[in-house]
Amino acid sequence: MRWLETAELATGVALLALILALILTQAVQRHLPVEGWVWTGELARLGLVWLTFSLVSYLLGRDEHITLKVVDLVLGDRALRAVWVLANLVVAAVGVLLTLEAVELVLGGSPQSTPALRIPVAWIYAIPLVGVALMSLRALANAALSPGPPQREHRDSGEAAR
């Protein structure tokens, strides 16, 4: 799992660097007497979507995705484990449905392409497909193998401080 997390994080860092470079290129082009490159904006927008989907599994595995932590403060250990398993099973079910839809988009053979770069639209959905598939697998692994949320020690130390 560590090498997968490292690969996901490296992909996210690379995409973030790409977005930054493309946006800086756009900003510089505005102040130069040259014609701007339209593809920089298109690729930056695609990079933002790819960044979101490439990091979803990483964030889920580290319990750093958007959650409500109110339940953590109220429930005991057994109930918290049950909520953790249920939440991960719901995420896995949604991930499987998203994966099926992404497979249909990738393999559907759409004749469309992006306006500036002429990238086939089916290729654009490949990164979200990998991201939601990994998210589904990570959620199933969390539900079956994990004893609970990874940051549980922070909750326990916070209660001891009170």
Side-chain angles (χ1 to χ4, degrees):
M1 279 303 230
R2 288 229 188 259
W3 66 268
L4 184 59
E5 282 184 356
T6 303
E8 290 168 343
L9 190 57
T11 302
V13 168
L15 286 169
L16 194 58
L18 174 72
I19 293 167
L20 177 65
L22 291 170
I23 290 174
L24 286 175
T25 301
Q26 283 183 315
V28 168
Q29 287 175 357
R30 288 191 182 120
H31 300 290
L32 295 176
V34 296
E35 188 174 323
W37 297 326
V38 178
W39 61 268
T40 56
E42 183 177 274
L43 192 55
R45 283 190 302 276
L46 290 174
L48 186 58
V49 172
W50 291 337
L51 175 69
T52 302
F53 284 102
S54 68
L55 287 178
V56 70
S57 175
Y58 176 80
L59 295 173
L60 181 67
R62 296 179 52 93
D63 197 30
E64 292 179 355
H65 53 92
I66 298 173
T67 59
L68 297 174
K69 297 292 183 184
V70 175
V71 174
D72 292 1
L73 300 173
V74 177
L75 297 179
D77 289 341
R78 287 187 130 187
L80 187 59
R81 169 73 178 140
V83 169
W84 170 256
V85 169
L86 179 65
N88 277 290
L89 289 176
V90 169
V91 168
V94 170
V96 166
L97 294 174
L98 285 172
T99 301
L100 293 174
E101 289 299 319
V103 165
E104 186 176 321
L105 289 171
V106 169
L107 301 178
S110 173
Q112 295 179 334
S113 62
T114 60
L117 290 172
R118 302 283 182 228
I119 299 172
V121 173
W123 293 5
I124 292 173
Y125 295 119
I127 292 175
L129 169 63
V130 171
V132 294
L134 288 174
M135 177 193 71
S136 302
L137 293 174
R138 179 70 65 102
L140 287 172
N142 283 350
L145 306 174
S146 178
Q151 297 177 345
R152 188 165 176 79
E153 59 274 356
H154 297 299
R155 182 182 86 107
D156 294 339
S157 64
E159 287 176 357
R162 283 190 231 151

